[in-house]
Amino acid sequence: MNIKLLLRNKAFLFFLCLTPLVSALILGIKADFKLYTEEAEEIHIIELDDCSDRAVYVSDTSAFVVKVYDSSQTELSEYVLEQLAYSGMFSICRSDTSKMTEEEVLKQAKSDAFDDRAGTLLYLKEDFDTCVLAGDYANALQIYDVSDDERWVLFETEISSLLSKIHQVSANTGMDTDTVLRVLRSLAEEMPEKEVVSLSGKEEIALTNEQRAYKSPIGYAFAIITLGFLFCGVCVAHTVIEEQDNKVYTRLMLSKLSQSEYLCSKLAMSVIISIMQTLILGIYMFVVKDMNFGISKLNFLVIIFFLGLIFSTLSFVIGVLLGDVMSSNYAVFSVWTISALLSGMYFPIDSSSVTIKALSNLMPQRWFMKAAEMLFVGDNSVYSMILCITVAYLIVIMSIGGIGLKIKRGNV
């Protein structure tokens, strides 16, 4: 009877049919993973037209800015600066000073110390190659510390380690620059692929550029379908409110039906609604041809069902506790907006503060985004994780709902 009433509700039909459609259309958008490839390659040496140009105007100010006076202009100096740039810690801005004397470079450095905002100034001398290969670092370069940024110590350590490595290779292979560079590049190619590990000791999921591109539409699809689950749950709560206003609930309580059986019937409706929306989404997904988002459609529908079960139950409990349809709509829309923002479905929050990350882990969508990442890499433990997460959220939601109802009716 309640399902028949819901199917006559235009708002319910709207969210039941439209949100899965929009989600399917978003998933059908072709992911442009070239954007992520370019992002990984955008770290490079910034060339200055003149040594008097200010590095602060063209550099990445989030990194430690290093302005370089390169009088060497050799392959070895290019290699050293590339290694510093690719480390990701430094923003390297280079100017060609091969036609300037050492006194002119020193004069320019004194001027830049006041006029520019670089963290440090690096002067690569004309005999850079010969001095570095011989281990004479003092005559190979000069570092001018021109700021209070403590990262200059990190820079000094990095470049010292790099020069020592070059000198060590040179001592084993001879004094030929080309041979040294060839050995260094071959060693870099033989390095094992790095393993990304979190500070908590848990291994992080390393995604390819293509998988990272697929992750964005999945997040948007989660956001849209979640909105549908929430408002369909409010429609279920609306039936409870109407039954209370029309004394239907009172008549039911006068019969042999218990309160727990009544609530279980309403929760069963939330399960049925989750199944209905998941099936409708599945129909749309199989109708749209050439849909590829890095996860099999069946696996995606499974995690969508569990996500819907959480939010349908949550909106139902919110609606019953508030006892007003309009207030319930405002509440669930606020829940949807805040949870979607904090869960990282719209933008990554990996670089955010510890507080934001802690709040993010409280949002159900965050765990389902992690489930999507696990499906990307073929982790078979994803279903046990999703099942545990769903049961945990349902227990918390139902416990809060039960306590809230008792307080509302004055039984506590």
Side-chain angles (χ1 to χ4, degrees), residues 354-366:
V354 176
T355 303
I356 296 298
K357 290 181 179 179
L359 291 174
S360 176
N361 288 329
L362 296 176
M363 306 300 143
Q365 301 100 311
R366 178 65 172 172

Side-chain angles (χ1 to χ4, degrees), residues 139-154:
N139 291 321
L141 53 83
Q142 180 67 47
I143 300 176
Y144 303 101
D145 178 26
V146 293
S147 73
D148 296 330
D149 195 327
E150 295 181 356
R151 286 179 293 178
W152 75 268
V153 178
L154 183 62

Side-chain angles (χ1 to χ4, degrees), residues 50 130 140 187 291 320-321:
D50 190 84
T130 305
L187 288 175
M291 179 182 289
V320 171
L321 291 179

Side-chain angles (χ1 to χ4, degrees), residues 336-347 349 365:
W336 174 73
T337 304
I338 296 172
S339 62
L341 286 173
L342 290 177
S343 61
M345 291 196 299
Y346 300 141
F347 46 81
I349 59 170
Q365 301 100 311

